[in-house]
Amino acid sequence: MFGKGGIKPGEFVFVAQKDGQYSRIVIGRIQAVNGSRVHVVGTAIRPSGLIERANAGKAGDRSRQVLSNPDPNNCVFMLIDRVETTPFNQEVDQATDRVIWINQNRYLVLDGWIKENFPEIFAAALMSPAEEDRQSAKLALREKMGALYERDLKDHVYAVARGANLL
């Protein structure tokens, strides 16, 4: 599954875990491997905004698919709306949860996205009921993007903002 030698302590992973009807994701670093169980330390992310929209019937097919089957390539759909994050320090069973190896750059982009509070900023810029609030959120987003130093994170955020027509 993870190529020659399998997954090892110190590597970064993206984990998709069932959370009721939908999935939550965990991004983190492997601390130990014990058969099919891996100990992960990182952040658990529950896409509360997207779940609320899906339950209200306001999410499209792509969003519902992402909620059911997230992966490192489509999880940005979860991260442009409000999320709930908690520290994660548990064992994960690869037999029941989907554990996907990611490189350090991908991990740093996803972790930076959460630490810099981009889900809340994007949610405000995309879904605020008042035009004035949306414009204020877009301005805050532009300022935040301009202050980023991590190149990969900056490129990723700019790409998502352009795709969402926020620039």
Side-chain angles (χ1 to χ4, degrees):
M1 172 186 228
F2 292 98
K4 192 167 112 181
I7 197 166
K8 299 177 188 81
E11 295 181 330
F12 296 94
V13 291
F14 176 98
V15 180
Q17 292 183 316
K18 281 296 180 196
D19 182 24
Q21 183 179 351
Y22 301 112
S23 295
R24 75 174 180 166
I25 60 175
V26 175
I27 56 169
R29 187 174 226 164
I30 299 293
Q31 297 299 305
V33 178
N34 183 12
S36 72
R37 300 187 67 77
V38 293
H39 187 148
V40 179
V41 174
T43 304
I45 304 163
R46 183 177 184 273
S48 55
L50 188 56
I51 289 171
E52 288 172 10
R53 283 191 299 137
N55 289 339
K58 296 179 181 176
D61 290 338
R62 178 76 171 142
S63 295
R64 283 193 296 280
Q65 178 188 357
V66 169
L67 282 171
S68 301
N69 194 22
D71 66 47
N73 298 318
N74 70 14
C75 70
V76 73
F77 289 100
M78 295 174 131
L79 301 178
I80 59 172
D81 204 339
R82 290 176 294 104
V83 298
E84 298 168 11
T85 61
T86 55
F88 188 87
N89 187 358
Q90 298 177 25
E91 279 195 352
V92 176
D93 190 350
Q94 295 180 71
T96 57
D97 299 320
R98 210 169 68 171
V99 179
I100 302 168
W101 175 88
I102 56 175
N103 65 32
Q104 183 176 7
N105 287 346
R106 175 66 61 98
Y107 169 79
L108 292 173
V109 166
L110 295 174
D111 187 57
W113 189 276
I114 298 301
K115 286 183 177 170
E116 294 291 338
N117 201 31
F118 281 113
E120 294 293 329
I121 296 170
F122 270 84
L126 291 169
M127 294 169 238
S128 289
E131 180 62 29
E132 184 177 310
D133 293 340
R134 277 195 304 275
Q135 293 305 321
S136 175
K138 286 179 184 181
L139 179 60
L141 175 63
R142 284 188 207 105
E143 289 173 358
K144 185 86 160 178
M145 290 186 321
L148 290 175
Y149 290 105
E150 209 310 295
R151 187 72 190 160
D152 289 334
L153 176 59
K154 190 172 193 168
D155 290 347
H156 190 262
V157 172
Y158 268 92
V160 173
R162 279 191 306 274
N165 296 321
L166 296 176
L167 294 180

